[in-house]
Amino acid sequence: MANPQFLSYVDEHQQQFIDKLAEVVAIPSVSGDPAYRQHVHDMGAWMAKHLKELGAEVELRPLGKQVLDGQEIDLPPAVLGSLGNDPKKKTLLLYGHYDVQPALKEDGWRFDPWVLTPDPDNSGKLYGRGSSDDKGPILGWLNVIQAHKELGLDMPVNLKMCFEGMEESGSEGLDELIEKEKDGFFKGVDCVCISDNYWLNTTTPCLTYGLRGIAYFKISVSGPKRDLHSGVFGATVHEPMTDLIQLMSKLVTSEGEILVPGIKELVAPLTDEERKRYDVINFSVKDIDDAVGASVALSDDKATTLMGRMRYPSLSLHGIEGAFSAPGCKTVIPAAVHGKFSIRLVPDIGLEEVTKLVTDYVNAEFAKIKTKSSMSVEMLHGGEPWVADPNHYSYRAAHKATEAVYGVAPDYTREGGSIPVTLTFANILKSNVLLLPMGRGDDGAHSINEKLDTSNYIKGTKLLGTYLYELAKAE
Amino acid sequence: MANPQFLSYVDEHQQQFIDKLAEVVAIPSVSGDPAYRQHVHDMGAWMAKHLKELGAEVELRPLGKQVLDGQEIDLPPAVLGSLGNDPKKKTLLLYGHYDVQPALKEDGWRFDPWVLTPDPDNSGKLYGRGSSDDKGPILGWLNVIQAHKELGLDMPVNLKMCFEGMEESGSEGLDELIEKEKDGFFKGVDCVCISDNYWLNTTTPCLTYGLRGIAYFKISVSGPKRDLHSGVFGATVHEPMTDLIQLMSKLVTSEGEILVPGIKELVAPLTDEERKRYDVINFSVKDIDDAVGASVALSDDKATTLMGRMRYPSLSLHGIEGAFSAPGCKTVIPAAVHGKFSIRLVPDIGLEEVTKLVTDYVNAEFAKIKTKSSMSVEMLHGGEPWVADPNHYSYRAAHKATEAVYGVAPDYTREGGSIPVTLTFANILKSNVLLLPMGRGDDGAHSINEKLDTSNYIKGTKLLGTYLYELAKAE
């Protein structure tokens, strides 16, 4: 249990916390657009100033330069903070990001995305870019520290903090910083907590212990040296597009079965313990239908559907570069086409293995095709899957904190996508990483009308604080 | 044989004819860009003025308005001319177009595309936009008339002329004009000659007696109401792109065999007479390799290759609308995708039949796929194939004229693409149409560095004139 004074303080300062969230949402710290870069720096400076006021030691660490739209500009700095250095306490590393996705009112936002706006219907939703991704969660941590400082309470653990300003733009420079500082700033970290994902649904808190990796492939097929007219050359030459479509049709079935031999055999066996975690998750297949707006789920079974997203690989065909892609009619025989697809990776499908399996298979299938086209297959980018031990003391602490604040046990979820820094922390710091989300599954992090529910912000602040107390006690 | 005075006149006026071609190439009559529209009108007026000076009755017939890039602008007029009205003579309809494709020096032209430029290497090539497509051929006709007028020679046939200014932009308004005037301006036409295509190669004159038609299809597959993230939804929902690729893979083999049942059975049988026409064509498979810049021909046999282009249907996959088509990586599951493909039509594959065969087949193949996606297939645009009787007296006349001017028998070719006005004249005027090209296969009509060889321009002018004499004699 957390200190009761802390919990009361959070309730009493709800409006002040919302006002502070409004203050940071008003800083449009879009990392992907050079025109907004100064705002990202301003937001980093805001973080440093407030952390200092709260008693932390803070450094704004430069991460070098980047070239964006032809300009060389400074990367936003990493905000590195430390609070407490008691050798008798555990040391927790917090990670979050202070940059946000782009947002324009004319994209269809109900309100100005840079003005935190409470829902006029009193639903408690707070609309604004960054409200949930990730300014709400990082202010949650600041709220916890503020409460303890103002109440004169001792923090239950030592904190190290790493807040970056490039998460929405590939986290440039961060991996290098972590590698460089693993025996410096990051030395002594016992475990890591990241609050930068979402509940699976809109009602049940969750702890996230896994992320799928990815291997993104390109199959290139070429023949003629230039695009041809199908009237003149149709039925006289081998057409690269025909060959590519044949190859792409051999990768996955309409029911989602991966046809590349050897991949599904690599998937880690399903244990009874893991299986039970899916059975108890608060979820239904209708949640998928609602999320995508159509009844197109592969399975009618809840656990099968959840395991499809969380613990099995998937293969998606994304598109073709070089072919005709505009509306209307064009009678082109494209000279060279590039099919794009990716495979989501799970334990124990490693990037190197899957790349070899895919390359060998595509080459073998191409050899069966009677064509004079040339073909090559390439892995364009990849990331390994990540799974943490959900029985680690950090997870047990978060479990108890969730029960204390929300009155329910959390769902244990794995996510279908990637958060690359998770794997970096796990691998370089050799540390358990806990993903402890604040927001709900419908927050619309990268969409229009991003929001954070007031109850998630306030209870989320209590959850983060309570987790620190449980973490301090855990063994 | 033509009047020898005529032939001498052409030789003596070579430089004057080239100067006149330079004069019209300098009018950038690009029909596809509203910024150039006044130049198209100027070119129409040039045609009318010169035809009048040569003694023709001329009308600039307005064809209405069009909306281009949001502006309503006047269509260029049809230039309708008549020369001679002797009931004892045959009446020949000439068609050509005075508009051109766009051209910008910075696209890679060696010389200013609007300045007719002789090759500095004295190859005889005359570079300039429209030199071969189609200003050279229409000036060829004017040169013939000029020679007869200045020499005081009687024209061997009556001429009607229809020159349009929208051929490169869909011939808007022309079909309606032909239909409206079939018993008016076009009444009494015995046969039609169009000089707006090319020799098959660079050495042998040809007469073209067939064009393939086209049926352009779109297969649409949709499922989710919005694009999805493959991390979140991969292996949980049916993906429209997977279904579309399955369907597209069932249409044609890498060897060019159309898999839609019933189509190849419709192809008109190959007669011995027709087969012989391919055997004697001056052509080799290497010409295909040279044209496309790679050794990717479907067959090593000359006649098979020629028949692939000229007398058999072909199916080309053009691309996919709605999928990811840019360079780089994007992990999208597209919500709705539209596969585009077309089938080139030949006798006796009619548009209606092929549409039904394709629609039934795609629906049947989709029914075999286990998916919850929705699918529809649609014919977006189509044109029937055209074949003329190459034994018609107009072809026999052109054959003799070719032998007289070039000293060789012409190849008899069919083209793989379409020239829609050919079919309109054939169908509405119930008339034999002869395609009598002036330029060579490497003229680059729609590319950079379009050219017309001086010898093709001058001998071509002689050919057109000699054809009139042979036509007058033919029975």
Side-chain angles (χ1 to χ4, degrees):
Chain A
M1 281 296 296
N3 186 306
Q5 285 182 276
F6 159 69
L7 297 174
S8 302
Y9 182 95
V10 175
D11 283 329
E12 287 155 14
H13 291 76
Q14 174 168 327
Q15 191 55 49
Q16 190 201 100
F17 291 161
I18 292 173
D19 293 344
K20 196 173 282 184
L21 183 57
E23 190 181 332
V24 295
V25 165
I27 303 172
S29 50
V30 178
S31 56
D33 184 340
Y36 287 79
R37 181 55 54 92
Q38 185 54 48
H39 298 299
V40 188
H41 286 279
D42 291 348
M43 184 65 210
W46 190 100
M47 290 291 295
K49 172 172 175 282
H50 283 75
L51 282 168
K52 274 180 199 159
E53 286 173 4
L54 293 172
E57 289 176 32
V58 184
E59 179 193 358
L60 282 173
R61 176 71 68 94
L63 295 177
K65 291 181 184 292
Q66 72 169 148
V67 175
L68 192 58
D69 293 354
Q71 306 171 43
E72 192 184 60
I73 54 178
D74 283 329
L75 286 166
V79 180
L80 299 178
S82 298
L83 185 69
N85 191 22
D86 184 341
K88 295 190 295 297
K89 292 179 183 172
K90 294 194 182 74
T91 298
L92 174 68
L93 172 64
L94 310 178
Y95 163 88
H97 64 92
Y98 62 82
D99 63 321
V100 296
Q101 284 277 316
L104 294 169
K105 176 81 169 69
E106 52 267 38
D107 290 342
W109 284 74
R110 291 177 63 192
F111 314 107
D112 183 338
W114 309 116
V115 176
L116 189 75
T117 307
D119 186 351
D121 295 339
N122 289 316
S123 67
K125 291 181 172 73
L126 302 166
Y127 289 98
R129 175 55 86 219
S131 56
S132 182
D133 180 20
D134 187 35
K135 288 175 173 173
I138 59 179
L139 284 208
W141 292 116
L142 266 63
N143 297 339
V144 169
I145 300 170
Q146 174 187 320
H148 284 75
K149 179 171 190 288
E150 296 206 357
L151 293 167
L153 295 173
D154 196 29
M155 287 290 283
V157 298
N158 304 315
L159 292 181
K160 287 192 186 272
M161 291 164 271
C162 174
F163 298 114
E164 68 158 323
M166 279 295 283
E167 197 273 346
E168 304 292 3
S169 303
S171 291
E172 262 189 76
L174 190 68
D175 282 5
E176 295 77 3
L177 173 75
I178 297 168
E179 178 62 41
K180 187 178 167 199
E181 291 292 338
K182 65 180 174 184
D183 297 318
F185 174 78
F186 295 108
K187 192 175 169 68
V189 164
D190 292 301
C191 50
V192 183
C193 181
I194 299 177
S195 186
D196 185 26
N197 67 313
Y198 308 92
W199 297 353
L200 184 62
N201 54 33
T202 59
T203 55
T204 319
C206 68
L207 312 182
T208 302
Y209 68 100
L211 297 166
R212 293 199 286 193
I214 187 170
Y216 200 108
F217 293 94
K218 177 170 81 165
I219 300 177
S220 297
V221 183
S222 61
K225 283 293 159 285
R226 55 183 180 83
D227 285 358
L228 304 178
H229 187 286
S230 68
V232 182
F233 291 100
T236 64
V237 297
H238 291 282
E239 303 187 13
M241 185 70 179
T242 304
D243 302 328
L244 177 65
I245 294 285
Q246 290 299 327
L247 290 176
M248 290 178 82
S249 77
K250 302 284 169 57
L251 296 171
V252 61
T253 72
S254 286
E255 292 167 289
E257 187 189 348
I258 297 175
L259 296 172
V260 181
I263 289 186
K264 60 188 174 198
E265 290 80 356
L266 288 173
V267 178
L270 179 65
T271 63
D272 285 348
E273 184 194 349
E274 188 193 333
R275 166 80 204 203
K276 276 178 201 144
R277 274 185 228 125
Y278 302 111
D279 287 334
V280 300
I281 288 177
N282 183 357
F283 184 79
S284 80
V285 174
K286 190 174 173 303
D287 292 328
I288 294 278
D289 294 347
D290 291 348
V292 308
S295 187
V296 292
L298 283 166
S299 168
D300 296 329
D301 177 65
K302 179 183 90 170
T304 304
T305 300
L306 286 170
M307 289 191 288
R309 173 184 296 184
M310 297 180 180
R311 66 115 46 221
Y312 285 114
S314 61
L315 191 156
S316 295
L317 306 174
H318 304 300
I320 297 172
E321 180 186 343
F324 175 53
S325 61
C329 302
K330 187 177 175 188
T331 55
V332 66
I333 297 175
V337 285
H338 311 274
K340 312 280 183 74
F341 68 97
S342 67
I343 299 178
R344 295 284 164 176
L345 306 182
V346 297
D348 296 317
I349 305 178
L351 194 51
E352 199 175 323
E353 285 163 299
V354 82
T355 301
K356 180 164 171 27
L357 287 170
V358 166
T359 305
D360 289 352
Y361 175 67
V362 172
N363 280 318
E365 288 298 313
F366 183 70
K368 295 180 192 169
I369 295 177
K370 290 180 183 159
T371 182
K372 294 180 182 168
S373 303
S374 303
M375 193 282 297
S376 65
V377 56
E378 186 186 353
M379 205 272 289
L380 291 183
H381 90 87
E384 301 282 357
W386 165 79
V387 174
D389 173 11
N391 297 314
H392 186 275
Y393 65 77
S394 175
Y395 280 81
R396 283 188 277 116
H399 186 111
K400 285 184 187 167
T402 303
E403 287 181 323
V405 173
Y406 282 99
V408 295
D411 283 338
Y412 282 78
T413 68
R414 287 158 63 168
E415 293 214 347
S418 311
I419 308 177
V421 71
T422 309
L423 200 68
T424 308
F425 283 131
N427 287 348
I428 298 182
L429 304 186
K430 314 283 184 219
S431 192
N432 178 278
V433 182
L434 163 70
L435 302 188
L436 182 59
M438 174 179 275
R440 301 182 185 182
D442 66 349
D443 279 359
H446 288 200
S447 310
I448 57 169
N449 300 318
E450 179 181 347
K451 58 86 182 169
L452 178 66
D453 292 84
T454 303
S455 70
N456 282 56
Y457 183 43
I458 298 306
K459 284 192 176 175
T461 295
K462 291 179 184 174
L463 174 69
L464 298 178
T466 305
Y467 161 67
L468 300 185
Y469 283 90
E470 295 294 345
L471 188 67
K473 287 192 297 182
E475 285 171 17
Chain B
M1 280 299 295
N3 187 307
Q5 285 183 276
F6 160 68
L7 299 173
S8 302
Y9 182 95
V10 174
D11 284 329
E12 287 155 15
H13 290 78
Q14 173 168 330
Q15 190 56 48
Q16 190 200 101
F17 292 161
I18 292 174
D19 292 345
K20 197 172 281 183
L21 183 57
E23 190 180 333
V24 295
V25 164
I27 303 172
S29 51
V30 177
S31 56
D33 184 339
Y36 287 78
R37 181 55 55 90
Q38 185 55 48
H39 298 298
V40 188
H41 286 279
D42 291 347
M43 184 63 210
W46 189 100
M47 291 291 296
K49 171 172 175 283
H50 283 75
L51 282 168
K52 274 180 202 161
E53 287 173 4
L54 294 173
E57 288 174 35
V58 184
E59 179 194 357
L60 284 174
R61 177 70 68 92
L63 295 178
K65 291 181 184 292
Q66 72 169 149
V67 176
L68 192 57
D69 294 356
Q71 307 171 42
E72 193 184 58
I73 54 178
D74 283 330
L75 286 166
V79 180
L80 299 178
S82 299
L83 186 69
N85 191 22
D86 184 341
K88 295 189 294 295
K89 293 178 183 172
K90 294 193 183 75
T91 298
L92 173 69
L93 172 64
L94 311 178
Y95 164 87
H97 63 92
Y98 61 82
D99 63 320
V100 297
Q101 283 278 316
L104 293 170
K105 176 82 169 69
E106 52 265 39
D107 290 342
W109 284 74
R110 291 177 63 192
F111 314 106
D112 183 337
W114 309 116
V115 176
L116 189 75
T117 307
D119 186 350
D121 295 338
N122 289 315
S123 68
K125 292 182 172 72
L126 302 166
Y127 289 98
R129 174 57 86 217
S131 56
S132 183
D133 180 19
D134 186 36
K135 289 176 172 172
I138 59 178
L139 285 207
W141 292 116
L142 266 63
N143 297 339
V144 170
I145 300 170
Q146 175 188 320
H148 284 74
K149 180 171 190 289
E150 297 205 357
L151 294 168
L153 296 173
D154 194 32
M155 288 289 283
V157 298
N158 303 316
L159 292 182
K160 287 191 186 273
M161 292 165 267
C162 174
F163 298 114
E164 68 157 324
M166 279 295 283
E167 197 271 348
E168 303 293 2
S169 301
S171 292
E172 262 189 75
L174 189 68
D175 282 4
E176 295 76 4
L177 172 74
I178 297 168
E179 177 63 40
K180 189 178 165 202
E181 292 292 337
K182 65 180 172 183
D183 297 319
F185 175 78
F186 296 109
K187 191 173 169 67
V189 163
D190 292 301
C191 51
V192 183
C193 180
I194 299 176
S195 185
D196 186 25
N197 67 311
Y198 308 91
W199 297 353
L200 185 60
N201 54 34
T202 59
T203 55
T204 318
C206 68
L207 312 183
T208 302
Y209 67 101
L211 296 165
R212 293 198 287 194
I214 187 169
Y216 199 108
F217 293 94
K218 177 171 81 165
I219 300 176
S220 298
V221 183
S222 61
K225 283 292 159 286
R226 56 184 181 81
D227 285 358
L228 304 177
H229 187 287
S230 68
V232 182
F233 291 100
T236 65
V237 296
H238 291 282
E239 302 186 13
M241 184 70 178
T242 305
D243 302 327
L244 177 64
I245 295 286
Q246 290 299 327
L247 290 176
M248 291 178 81
S249 76
K250 303 284 170 56
L251 296 172
V252 61
T253 72
S254 286
E255 292 167 288
E257 187 190 347
I258 297 175
L259 296 172
V260 181
I263 289 185
K264 61 187 173 198
E265 290 80 356
L266 290 173
V267 178
L270 181 64
T271 63
D272 285 347
E273 185 194 348
E274 188 193 333
R275 167 78 202 203
K276 277 178 202 144
R277 274 185 227 125
Y278 302 110
D279 287 334
V280 300
I281 289 177
N282 184 357
F283 184 81
S284 80
V285 175
K286 189 174 174 304
D287 292 328
I288 293 278
D289 294 348
D290 290 347
V292 309
S295 187
V296 293
L298 284 166
S299 169
D300 297 329
D301 177 63
K302 178 183 89 169
T304 304
T305 300
L306 286 171
M307 290 191 287
R309 172 184 297 183
M310 297 181 180
R311 66 117 43 223
Y312 286 113
S314 62
L315 193 156
S316 295
L317 305 174
H318 304 299
I320 297 173
E321 179 187 342
F324 175 53
S325 60
C329 302
K330 187 177 175 188
T331 56
V332 66
I333 297 175
V337 285
H338 311 274
K340 311 279 182 75
F341 68 98
S342 67
I343 300 178
R344 295 283 164 176
L345 306 183
V346 296
D348 298 312
I349 306 178
L351 194 52
E352 198 175 323
E353 284 163 300
V354 82
T355 302
K356 179 161 170 32
L357 287 170
V358 167
T359 306
D360 288 352
Y361 175 67
V362 172
N363 280 318
E365 287 300 311
F366 184 69
K368 295 180 192 168
I369 295 176
K370 290 180 182 161
T371 182
K372 294 180 182 168
S373 303
S374 303
M375 192 281 297
S376 65
V377 56
E378 186 185 354
M379 204 272 289
L380 292 183
H381 89 86
E384 302 282 358
W386 165 78
V387 173
D389 172 12
N391 296 315
H392 186 274
Y393 66 76
S394 176
Y395 279 80
R396 282 188 279 116
H399 185 110
K400 287 183 187 166
T402 304
E403 287 180 325
V405 172
Y406 281 99
V408 295
D411 284 339
Y412 283 79
T413 67
R414 288 159 62 169
E415 293 216 346
S418 312
I419 308 177
V421 71
T422 310
L423 200 67
T424 307
F425 283 131
N427 287 348
I428 297 182
L429 304 186
K430 313 283 184 221
S431 192
N432 179 278
V433 182
L434 163 71
L435 302 189
L436 182 59
M438 175 180 274
R440 302 183 186 183
D442 66 348
D443 279 358
H446 288 200
S447 309
I448 58 169
N449 299 320
E450 178 181 348
K451 60 86 181 166
L452 177 66
D453 291 84
T454 302
S455 70
N456 282 56
Y457 183 44
I458 298 306
K459 285 193 175 173
T461 294
K462 291 180 185 175
L463 174 68
L464 297 178
T466 306
Y467 162 67
L468 299 186
Y469 284 89
E470 295 293 345
L471 188 67
K473 288 192 296 181
E475 286 171 16

